[in-house]
Amino acid sequence: MEHGSVIKIVGIPDHVTMTWLMMAVVLVFAYVLGKNLKKFPDRIQYVFEALTSFIVYTLEDAMGKYGRKFFPLIAGLAVFILFGNLMGLIPGLTQPTANLNTTLALAIISFLVYNYEGIKKHGLVNYIKHFAGPVPWMAPIMFPIEVVSHLSRILSLSFRLFGNMFGDEMVVLVALMLVPFLVPVAGEFIVFANSFLQTFIFCILTVVYIATAIEEHEEEHA
Amino acid sequence: MGKLRDYIERTSYMMVGVQFALAIFIGLAIGYWLDKEFKTFPWLTIFWFFIGLAAGFKNVYRELKKISK
């Protein structure tokens, strides 16, 4: 919530402060973890190895040999969104992802990446030609339709994450106001479970978009 | 591995409904903005509304084709 945060810096919005705090925690954590890698992993290292291999398998499943190239992007998104969502569980902190500005930025990143990859793979002319559809005389109608449907991807990505996280916080807050004993725990559980679900959905959709942007061309020429 | 692929595809079906609604709103927004620029209210708004509607249907169609494949 806007007024829920304990840490405040004058002149800087709450979600930016929270993002910085999260970045600091994640960076320090990653540094310490990276320095102390063991051959036989302990629990924490095992969790992160599982996360890493899950992302790698997902990418290879969706894109085949191109998959590993996008690991830094998808893992970065996953860690950012996951930790951003889970921050809501700590009293006194707010979720950076419960603000539309953060989620819109993430969605625009994913939008730019998949368009860039599509253009790089097929060339600018071919990629735009693909927008026009297979029938030449329908191209003037199909082109705006296709553009609108691509723009709706940005909005649906950002609004889903923002709406889910903001709504979850609201549920907890309302439960706190009505019955401030034990009932908010159910709300917190929704926040906890939904954090993972929304992270998964956001990353998978980014993967699917990149995969379709790359693949479409191959289907045409096969 | 094949199971994971199914999950990936199902997740992308989850967004069809939202995209259908959002495409219409984006169409409306573009049309409204163009109308304000050219002072031709309400023609471009109506036109772009239908473009947005078509884009929504196209999204649904694309996902349906993927399911029935």
Side-chain angles (χ1 to χ4, degrees):
Chain A
M1 289 307 302
E2 286 299 312
H3 42 262
S5 168
V6 176
I7 304 161
K8 280 193 190 299
I9 302 175
V10 180
I12 296 172
D14 261 358
H15 63 277
V16 180
T17 328
M18 287 298 121
T19 311
W20 288 345
L21 179 69
M22 183 192 72
M23 277 161 60
V25 170
V26 170
L27 284 176
V28 169
F29 186 72
Y31 182 78
V32 172
L33 195 72
K35 280 282 158 194
N36 298 323
L37 287 180
K38 298 182 196 76
K39 196 170 181 186
F40 298 102
D42 54 2
R43 267 181 237 163
I44 296 171
Q45 191 187 334
Y46 187 76
V47 167
F48 281 84
E49 280 181 4
L51 178 71
T52 310
S53 57
F54 177 69
I55 295 170
V56 169
Y57 284 140
T58 312
L59 281 169
E60 289 191 337
D61 225 22
M63 281 186 263
K65 62 185 161 132
Y66 301 107
R68 289 207 177 209
K69 200 179 121 194
F70 299 103
F71 175 74
L73 173 79
I74 302 298
L77 279 177
V79 170
F80 185 95
I81 297 171
L82 182 62
F83 278 79
N85 290 345
L86 287 177
M87 263 175 98
L89 293 173
I90 303 168
L93 300 184
T94 61
Q95 296 162 315
T97 43
N99 188 301
L100 188 56
N101 297 306
T102 314
T103 56
L104 196 60
L106 293 171
I108 288 173
I109 289 172
S110 123
F111 177 78
L112 289 180
V113 166
Y114 86 75
N115 279 309
Y116 172 75
E117 288 300 329
I119 289 170
K120 206 174 91 176
K121 183 90 194 309
H122 310 153
L124 185 60
V125 179
N126 274 335
Y127 189 68
I128 290 181
K129 221 185 261 172
H130 186 83
F131 275 32
V135 191
W137 60 268
M138 277 180 82
I141 309 171
M142 291 309 278
F143 189 74
I145 290 176
E146 200 62 36
V147 169
V148 168
S149 89
H150 274 263
L151 285 178
S152 73
R153 286 176 169 184
I154 301 185
L155 277 195
S156 71
L157 270 181
S158 56
F159 270 93
R160 180 181 306 103
L161 186 56
F162 159 72
N164 272 292
M165 286 304 126
F166 188 74
D168 283 354
E169 292 247 309
M170 277 312 218
V171 166
V172 176
L173 216 73
V174 169
L176 263 174
M177 274 196 311
L178 293 177
V179 191
F181 178 69
L182 277 184
V183 179
V185 174
E188 291 286 2
F189 178 73
I190 296 175
V191 175
F192 180 73
N194 212 2
S195 300
F196 288 93
L197 184 65
Q198 293 308 319
T199 311
F200 180 70
I201 289 176
F202 194 100
C203 295
I204 285 292
L205 285 175
T206 308
V207 171
V208 169
Y209 291 157
I210 295 172
T212 45
I214 289 177
E215 268 170 19
E216 275 163 357
H217 186 259
E218 286 171 356
E219 281 171 19
E220 273 173 40
H221 283 250
Chain B
M1 292 289 267
K3 211 176 165 194
L4 196 61
R5 174 122 209 163
D6 284 355
Y7 279 120
I8 293 170
E9 282 182 354
R10 273 171 213 156
T11 319
S12 74
Y13 304 149
M14 287 170 77
M15 74 182 310
V16 180
V18 185
Q19 263 195 353
F20 185 72
L22 280 174
I24 295 172
F25 278 109
I26 291 173
L28 270 177
I30 293 173
Y32 187 71
W33 178 70
L34 284 176
D35 263 345
K36 260 191 172 166
E37 291 286 303
F38 298 124
K39 312 242 184 300
T40 53
F41 193 80
W43 300 112
L44 283 175
T45 310
I46 295 172
F47 175 72
W48 277 93
F49 168 76
F50 282 108
I51 294 272
L53 198 62
F57 273 115
K58 190 160 185 296
N59 281 336
V60 175
Y61 176 71
R62 192 191 290 151
E63 296 297 326
L64 267 178
K65 224 167 58 177
K66 250 199 271 169
I67 294 175
S68 55
K69 196 163 62 181

